[in-house]
Amino acid sequence: DAGITQSPRHKVTETGTPVTLRCHQTENHRYMYWYRQDPGHGLRLIHYSYGVKDTDKGEVSDGYSVSRSKTEDFLLTLESATSSQTSVYFCAISEGQQAFFGQGTRLTVV
Amino acid sequence: SQQGEEDPQALSIQEGENATMNCSYKTSINNLQWYRQNSGRGLVHLILIRSNEREKHSGRLRVTLDTSKKSSSLLITASRAADTASYFCATRKDSNYQLIWGAGTKLIIKP
């Protein structure tokens, strides 16, 4: 596996609480992505980053924010978690054409 | 919205048979990629085919691309139990570094 670490791997949280997921890479890749994966939807892009402090929204960005203060770290924050945000979250990195994925974070909002 | 759509959604075959999955997309692309996802794991890149290529091989994998029909197929020959996974196509446009994903084909290889 490429040097991508997601933390935590599993989390259960209550509705209305803020949650932060972390993606850490050791590959020095420029591009980093957060996706969510839900049955029947494949991967949907939440936010992505094309450099330190440079981020942009994906197709399902409502309710999520991101930050990238260092090349190696990309944080995804659910500002006030809702049950619809129960999902598996994947971080990915790329420098060229292909993407490398982390192992995923299973988030359950109760 | 998803650009790629895989067909079929699920496929179950006997070990040793060939498996074919299809992907359709909507807009012009720079390249199309196929990924595999084993249960509970992240996606792993399998093969990339550029818009000016028609066919590409990698081991037991054969990918075709028909840009006039905006479609691609992934053929896995002589399937093995270890090929059991979900397979996703993803397309990349010229102007940015986003990958647009299909919903995937779930492949089950029966021993």
Side-chain angles (χ1 to χ4, degrees), chain A residues 1 9 31 33 35 37 40-45 48 57 59 90 94-103, chain B residues 1-2 30-31 33 35 37 40-45 48 50 88 92 96-104:
Chain A
D1 293 340
R9 293 291 314 279
Y31 294 88
Y33 309 82
Y35 292 95
Q37 185 177 36
H41 288 280
L43 287 169
R44 292 185 290 176
L45 182 65
Y48 68 102
K57 296 179 180 180
E59 62 177 303
F90 285 99
S94 72
E95 188 60 52
Q97 294 300 316
Q98 74 180 73
F100 300 91
F101 282 80
Q103 296 286 60
Chain B
S1 61
Q2 295 294 319
N30 176 275
N31 64 69
Q33 304 176 33
Y35 289 75
Q37 183 181 33
R41 306 291 297 271
L43 283 75
V44 175
H45 182 264
L48 178 153
R50 301 188 187 282
F88 294 86
R92 190 183 291 280
N96 62 53
Y97 280 84
Q98 291 187 46
L99 281 169
I100 308 298
W101 297 85

Side-chain angles (χ1 to χ4, degrees), chain B residues 5-18:
Chain B
E5 294 184 6
E6 284 93 342
D7 167 53
Q9 291 186 342
L11 179 62
S12 180
I13 61 173
Q14 292 294 139
E15 193 168 19
E17 294 180 340
N18 296 341

Side-chain angles (χ1 to χ4, degrees), chain A residues 1-5 23-35 49 68 71-74 90-102, chain B residues 35 92 97 99:
Chain A
D1 293 340
I4 309 169
T5 304
C23 178
H24 177 77
Q25 62 150 328
T26 58
E27 306 297 322
N28 202 35
H29 283 357
R30 178 181 174 192
Y31 294 88
M32 298 185 76
Y33 309 82
W34 276 108
Y35 292 95
S49 169
R68 192 170 178 196
T71 299
E72 57 267 35
D73 289 325
F74 192 33
F90 285 99
C91 173
I93 63 174
S94 72
E95 188 60 52
Q97 294 300 316
Q98 74 180 73
F100 300 91
F101 282 80
Chain B
Y35 289 75
R92 190 183 291 280
Y97 280 84
L99 281 169

Side-chain angles (χ1 to χ4, degrees), chain A residues 3-20:
Chain A
I4 309 169
T5 304
Q6 290 185 231
S7 59
R9 293 291 314 279
H10 302 271
K11 186 169 182 66
V12 179
T13 193
E14 292 185 349
T15 299
T17 60
V19 177
T20 295

Side-chain angles (χ1 to χ4, degrees), chain B residues 32-73:
Chain B
L32 184 144
Q33 304 176 33
W34 285 91
Y35 289 75
R36 184 187 74 234
Q37 183 181 33
N38 291 95
S39 181
R41 306 291 297 271
L43 283 75
V44 175
H45 182 264
L46 293 176
I47 194 166
L48 178 153
I49 186 165
R50 301 188 187 282
S51 59
N52 61 353
E53 298 175 310
R54 291 298 167 257
E55 187 170 314
K56 202 161 183 181
H57 296 255
S58 177
R60 293 184 296 112
L61 305 181
R62 174 181 168 243
V63 170
T64 62
L65 179 64
D66 186 335
T67 53
S68 66
K69 295 180 179 179
K70 292 186 168 58
S71 67
S72 173
S73 67

